[in-house]
Amino acid sequence: MKVAILGNGDWGSAIAQLSNRRSHSIQIWARNPRDHSRETNDLGKCLSGSEVVFFAVPSHAMREVALATREHLPKAALLVSLAKGIEEETGKRMSEVLTEVTGRTAPLVLSGPSFASEVSRGDPCAVVCASPDESAACRIQTAFTSDDFRIYTNVDLAGVEWGGSLKNVIAIAAGVCVGLQLGQSALAALITRGMAELTRIGTILGGKTQTFFGLSGVGDLILTCSSSLSRNRRLGEALGRGESLPHAVEGLKGTPEGLRTARSVHQILKMRGMEAPILQEVYSILYEQKQPMEAVRQLMAREPKPEF
Amino acid sequence: MKVAILGNGDWGSAIAQLSNRRSHSIQIWARNPRDHSRETNDLGKCLSGSEVVFFAVPSHAMREVALATREHLPKAALLVSLAKGIEEETGKRMSEVLTEVTGRTAPLVLSGPSFASEVSRGDPCAVVCASPDESAACRIQTAFTSDDFRIYTNVDLAGVEWGGSLKNVIAIAAGVCVGLQLGQSALAALITRGMAELTRIGTILGGKTQTFFGLSGVGDLILTCSSSLSRNRRLGEALGRGESLPHAVEGLKGTPEGLRTARSVHQILKMRGMEAPILQEVYSILYEQKQPMEAVRQLMAREPKPEF
């Protein structure tokens, strides 16, 4: 199978590894190629003849890269987004951006609990390939599944994308808990309440409830909230320790997706009049100079009540 | 309020701390008192006049301790179980054992993501107090809630107890993943699939689905699976590293509840003809000398399929 990979970051490399394991032929496009024997900055050359195109770029670059691919995209190529965020200006999901720009009606998304570094190393992973076109999802499943990389299919594109995006904001809250040294019990409680919030909001936004309980929802939430390999959690940790936002962001390699997502989600919540205490406290910490300890206190101080 | 605490282990001490914070008067009973100014081995003296009795003993000791309390229990005292296991010989939940032995129809259970050491230290925690008698649960909620210890009520006693028990077995599987160094993505996938399994089995056994998605289910599962403070996970880690069961148990301070629960649950699954791949692989590792790596391989090797 001929595979085009757009982006030479962590996920671009991980997909290249997976492709090699299944002996697919690969072409990697990068704005700034690091290794000219494997990578090109010629998009037309990269896409020529490709059967699958992976968009391994950050959410904020998706529209621009998709626009640039338009005149080169082979007609039958499957388009797969790997980005876990939403477009800031429009609040659109990545698959919506891809469809809008390319006119392809059934783009795919690969998501779920997986660090690119672990995928590259061959550690076992289980992920979800989502598309409204189930046969397209099955083609990706068949082409990229290996002993250590299990792909489940799901037709609920909206649920998979909202899960992947919202969990990054919850992960910032989890990091704040860690930075404030509140202990592991508090972190587990936060993840549990975060999961309920993500499910409730994600369902209103068009996802199916059961998707949020799956790999791309709770699974990815657990991974992102529990591991200091996550940039989103590390951002929260720094804020919890009292660092300023610019300083905290500077300390990370690359901007975590949750930073922008928190702002877009805040807009959506406001427009729709939805309540989401954790997402809102994260927004206040990031953009309204709220003290992390004060935010946590308010989350804890609500009236005692039945669990459901 | 007059509080009797049966047991002077980690949880006995944590409840004593919580009681002190709310200025309750406490009496601690222990078979072998460590501190004679605070603890007694005279059960009658401990229980005399008590309004709440906490059973802070392991599951396998619950029936014996409950039997011994019978002649001393004040008529109106609320009985609260803290044990997260089921009776091995009968497969009964702790509240069922308490009811059977004492004749009290509405015992309570306190459960949820919380390490006793963190509760004692005053780290923030959110837990569940369950009882079919909602007003009894509210009395405990009112009497023991503090700034750092939030209690939610829930009437689904069966769901709360099955969640607390089954998660210990899943935590052994999580530990095996860690011991085998499979990486954090694999651990998150295991917890996610474990959560689905716990919910499916727990619902068949009489719990409500939504309870398993709450603090006493997923919340406690996440905590127990993610932290090396958990004895159940540490047992799995040792087995994953290749230690024998006796050697692995020896290395822990006290037998983890999941060891017995795995066996009882295996019986129940067999009797009822239910399938539960993770619970069954844990049983095989513990009691059928199955190699941990082989068990994981079988969990990973199932046919590619839709997520739901």
Side-chain angles (χ1 to χ4, degrees):
Chain A
M1 189 175 241
K2 216 167 162 206
V3 178
I5 301 169
L6 312 185
N8 65 348
D10 294 346
W11 269 109
S13 309
I15 296 292
Q17 287 278 357
L18 288 175
S19 302
N20 285 336
R21 257 176 248 164
R22 293 296 308 271
S23 309
H24 300 313
S25 103
I26 58 174
Q27 285 282 7
I28 302 173
W29 170 84
R31 216 178 297 259
N32 304 303
R34 283 187 295 238
D35 171 353
H36 286 273
S37 66
R38 298 178 62 220
E39 299 169 9
T40 173
N41 58 8
D42 180 339
L43 200 50
K45 190 174 150 199
C46 171
L47 291 171
S48 164
S50 61
E51 297 162 80
V52 185
V53 182
F54 285 98
F55 288 79
V57 297
S59 302
H60 64 89
M62 187 63 78
R63 183 176 292 270
E64 190 196 336
V65 171
L67 270 169
T69 63
R70 267 209 300 202
E71 51 187 305
H72 307 292
L73 275 181
K75 216 163 179 177
L78 300 176
L79 313 189
V80 187
S81 158
L82 294 164
K84 292 174 182 171
I86 52 183
E87 192 172 48
E88 197 172 350
E89 301 75 16
T90 63
K92 286 183 178 158
R93 296 178 275 112
M94 290 300 107
S95 67
E96 293 178 314
V97 172
L98 282 181
T99 296
E100 197 176 302
V101 173
T102 66
R104 305 293 168 93
T105 50
L108 299 101
V109 163
L110 200 64
S111 191
S114 48
F115 286 125
S117 56
E118 296 193 336
V119 172
S120 292
R121 202 161 52 219
D123 286 347
C125 281
V127 300
V128 173
C129 182
S131 175
D133 176 356
E134 202 174 354
S135 73
C138 287
R139 279 180 62 201
I140 298 294
Q141 180 183 51
T142 307
F144 291 90
T145 291
S146 62
D147 277 359
D148 292 322
F149 194 76
R150 278 179 70 69
I151 304 177
Y152 293 84
T153 59
N154 190 327
V155 293
D156 179 19
L157 197 53
V160 167
E161 289 187 288
W162 279 117
S165 303
L166 294 174
K167 60 95 188 161
N168 285 331
V169 185
I170 310 283
I172 296 176
V176 168
C177 264
V178 175
L180 288 168
Q181 299 188 288
L182 299 183
Q184 303 183 47
S185 306
L187 178 60
L190 177 93
I191 299 175
T192 312
R193 307 300 289 178
M195 173 185 128
E197 196 168 305
L198 178 152
T199 304
R200 187 169 51 78
I201 299 296
T203 306
I204 297 175
L205 293 174
K208 288 189 196 136
T209 304
Q210 81 173 352
T211 299
F212 298 105
F213 293 132
L215 292 164
S216 61
V218 186
D220 209 358
L221 178 73
I222 291 173
L223 180 66
T224 313
C225 290
S226 330
S227 169
S228 53
L229 285 180
S230 155
R231 266 199 285 268
N232 292 289
R233 191 180 112 154
R234 285 213 308 277
L235 171 64
E237 285 179 47
L239 295 168
R241 282 193 306 266
E243 292 183 25
S244 69
L245 183 60
H247 192 249
V249 171
E250 214 181 39
L252 304 166
K253 251 176 56 187
T255 309
E257 288 272 12
L259 186 58
R260 286 191 176 88
T261 305
R263 195 154 56 186
S264 328
V265 167
H266 175 74
Q267 280 303 325
I268 294 171
L269 294 174
K270 215 166 79 174
M271 254 165 45
R272 298 216 185 189
M274 296 187 285
E275 266 202 45
I278 300 176
L279 297 172
Q280 266 147 356
E281 293 297 343
V282 171
Y283 176 81
S284 295
I285 294 173
L286 294 174
Y287 297 109
E288 302 180 324
Q289 279 78 48
K290 187 161 192 173
Q291 288 304 309
M293 199 43 165
E294 182 56 29
V296 169
R297 204 170 284 136
Q298 289 189 6
L299 285 174
M300 290 288 290
R302 314 171 92 215
E303 275 304 290
K305 57 175 187 180
E307 188 176 17
F308 298 106
Chain B
M1 190 176 244
K2 213 163 166 209
V3 177
I5 300 168
L6 312 185
N8 65 348
D10 294 346
W11 269 108
S13 310
I15 297 292
Q17 287 278 357
L18 289 175
S19 302
N20 286 337
R21 256 176 249 165
R22 293 295 308 271
S23 308
H24 300 312
S25 101
I26 58 174
Q27 285 282 8
I28 302 173
W29 170 84
R31 218 178 296 258
N32 304 302
R34 282 188 295 239
D35 170 354
H36 287 272
S37 66
R38 300 176 62 221
E39 300 168 8
T40 173
N41 59 8
D42 180 339
L43 200 51
K45 190 173 151 203
C46 171
L47 291 171
S48 163
S50 61
E51 297 162 79
V52 185
V53 183
F54 285 98
F55 288 80
V57 297
S59 302
H60 65 89
M62 187 63 78
R63 184 176 292 269
E64 188 195 337
V65 171
L67 270 169
T69 63
R70 269 209 298 202
E71 53 187 304
H72 307 293
L73 277 181
K75 213 161 182 178
L78 299 176
L79 313 189
V80 187
S81 157
L82 295 164
K84 292 175 183 171
I86 52 183
E87 193 172 47
E88 197 173 352
E89 301 75 17
T90 63
K92 286 184 178 157
R93 295 178 276 112
M94 289 300 108
S95 67
E96 293 177 315
V97 172
L98 281 181
T99 296
E100 196 176 302
V101 173
T102 66
R104 306 294 168 93
T105 49
L108 299 101
V109 164
L110 200 65
S111 191
S114 47
F115 286 125
S117 56
E118 296 193 336
V119 172
S120 292
R121 201 159 54 217
D123 286 346
C125 281
V127 301
V128 173
C129 182
S131 174
D133 177 355
E134 201 173 354
S135 72
C138 288
R139 279 180 61 202
I140 298 294
Q141 180 183 51
T142 307
F144 291 90
T145 290
S146 62
D147 278 357
D148 292 322
F149 194 77
R150 278 180 69 68
I151 304 177
Y152 293 85
T153 58
N154 189 328
V155 293
D156 179 19
L157 196 54
V160 167
E161 289 187 288
W162 279 117
S165 303
L166 293 174
K167 61 95 187 161
N168 285 331
V169 185
I170 309 283
I172 297 177
V176 167
C177 264
V178 175
L180 287 169
Q181 300 188 288
L182 298 183
Q184 303 184 47
S185 306
L187 179 60
L190 179 94
I191 298 175
T192 311
R193 307 300 288 177
M195 171 186 130
E197 195 169 306
L198 179 152
T199 303
R200 188 169 51 78
I201 299 296
T203 306
I204 297 174
L205 293 174
K208 289 190 195 135
T209 304
Q210 80 174 351
T211 298
F212 298 105
F213 293 132
L215 292 164
S216 62
V218 186
D220 209 358
L221 178 73
I222 291 174
L223 180 66
T224 314
C225 289
S226 331
S227 170
S228 52
L229 286 180
S230 155
R231 266 199 285 268
N232 293 289
R233 191 180 110 154
R234 286 213 308 278
L235 171 63
E237 285 179 47
L239 295 168
R241 283 193 305 266
E243 292 182 25
S244 69
L245 183 60
H247 191 247
V249 171
E250 214 181 40
L252 304 166
K253 252 177 54 189
T255 309
E257 288 272 11
L259 186 59
R260 286 190 176 86
T261 305
R263 196 155 54 187
S264 329
V265 167
H266 174 74
Q267 280 303 326
I268 293 171
L269 294 174
K270 216 166 79 176
M271 255 166 44
R272 298 215 185 190
M274 296 188 285
E275 266 200 45
I278 301 175
L279 297 172
Q280 266 146 357
E281 293 296 343
V282 171
Y283 177 81
S284 295
I285 294 173
L286 294 174
Y287 297 109
E288 303 180 323
Q289 278 78 47
K290 187 161 191 173
Q291 289 303 310
M293 200 41 165
E294 182 55 29
V296 169
R297 204 170 284 138
Q298 288 189 6
L299 284 174
M300 291 288 289
R302 314 170 93 215
E303 276 303 290
K305 57 175 188 181
E307 188 176 17
F308 299 106

